[in-house]
Amino acid sequence: MDQTTARSTSVTVADVAHKAGVSKATAARVLGGYGTVSDRVRAAVVAAARELDYRPNELARSMTTGRSGTIGVVVGDIENPFFSLAVRGITDVARQAGFTVILINSGEDLVAERAAIRTLLAKRVDGLIVSPAKETDVEHLHEAVRSGLPLALLDRGSDTLDVDTVIADDRHAAENITRRLITLGHSRIAYLTACDTPSHRFRTVRDIGTGSVRRRIEGFLAVCREAGLTGMEDWVHVGAVSSEHTHRIVTEMLQSAQRPTAVIASDSIIGLEVFKVHRQLGLSIPDDLSLVSFHDADWTSVTTPPVTVVRQPVYDLGATAAKLLVERLNGEAGPARKVILKTEILERASMREVF
């Protein structure tokens, strides 16, 4: 063990008080940042703490002040560039406001998400930012809210939770890109998502428990109906939850007799797998297949051809959620706020007409 670390962690408030020539209560007020003392006393205590290399006991301080200085964050898949960028937005805002982020990955598993919330509550976090695995099963989040803990939802809302929520305009984004593909003459358009269903097959949007995914599929199907395309539910593929699952789904899809002429990938990880499989099968983008991916990941702009994407304000989603939560922690009252951020289509060379 490092001797410096061992020595600094053993230094107590009483040691600092003795060194500064003040009472323990006075030193505690200075070190805890509460109460009032003279500038002279504050300077003496700070100098003594620095000389002794005093390190505060965070648990003790949280019990005294009622604050731990931490924000708990639960997301579905930290390996997904979408969530990693959103978390960057959260941590940047939190750090500026004086909070440390405790991050837990749920793996889009409801049981793991419940356990994560229990863990964060036990750690006495000051607030929560959660991207729920299933918007219809959020009783554990209701319990957190009932305990008085501020909560903000990231990317996925819930009709039953009256809390601050930050989402993207997912339905409009799906509508816009689907309409663009139909304008280019496509009618065999596949939509591929990581979200799974109990039967591992898509039947209706009611099967989809993740709101952002559900809104996109609703937008996709609505535009297809407007264009007179029927049976498009059969072109929605769920269960692309890993590279292995995605590879199998895409391979079967692209080798079928009714091969799609266009694929909409619900995230950049799925989009990358589609790109890999099309090459393995000797197909060409965009001659044989048009490809669109949600999320403007780095790889999408450097492939040949570069891939058309729906650019989402991912960093801003995280930063805005953190901003709303910090405002609540600083005493902001009033009704729950819902912020919807706009997306945009970056049209590159991976789409073509099929007339």
Side-chain angles (χ1 to χ4, degrees), residues 77-92:
D77 181 8
I78 196 59
E79 290 186 349
N80 188 319
F82 175 94
F83 283 117
S84 58
L85 183 55
V87 169
R88 175 63 184 272
I90 292 172
T91 55
D92 284 352

Side-chain angles (χ1 to χ4, degrees), residues 64-129:
T64 301
T65 65
R67 287 286 187 92
S68 65
T70 58
I71 291 173
V73 177
V74 182
V75 297
D77 181 8
I78 196 59
E79 290 186 349
N80 188 319
F82 175 94
F83 283 117
S84 58
L85 183 55
V87 169
R88 175 63 184 272
I90 292 172
T91 55
D92 284 352
V93 171
R95 186 185 306 111
Q96 291 173 4
F99 291 93
T100 299
V101 169
I102 300 176
L103 175 64
I104 300 182
N105 182 57
S106 72
E108 301 289 11
D109 180 79
L110 185 58
V111 173
E113 181 178 298
R114 290 170 179 157
I117 297 300
R118 288 196 300 270
T119 297
L120 292 171
L121 292 177
K123 290 184 177 295
R124 298 177 178 268
V125 295
D126 296 326
L128 290 169
I129 297 175

Side-chain angles (χ1 to χ4, degrees), residues 34-47:
Y34 61 91
T36 57
V37 296
S38 69
D39 292 340
R40 180 186 61 79
V41 169
R42 177 177 290 103
V45 172
V46 170

Side-chain angles (χ1 to χ4, degrees), residues 27 114 148 166 178-179:
R114 290 170 179 157
V166 185
T178 304
R179 192 171 289 116

Side-chain angles (χ1 to χ4, degrees), residues 74 90 113 117 128-135 138 140-142 145 150-168 317-318 320-322 324-325 337-339:
V74 182
I90 292 172
E113 181 178 298
I117 297 300
L128 290 169
I129 297 175
V130 181
S131 188
K134 293 187 181 297
E135 295 182 6
V138 290
H140 53 298
L141 299 181
H142 279 285
V145 173
L151 166 67
L153 299 184
L154 170 69
D155 185 49
R156 304 163 183 177
S158 174
D159 293 337
T160 68
L161 277 167
D162 190 30
V163 298
D164 294 334
T165 303
V166 185
I167 62 173
L317 284 169
T320 303
L324 296 181
L325 184 65
R337 298 162 290 181
K338 185 174 184 178
V339 180

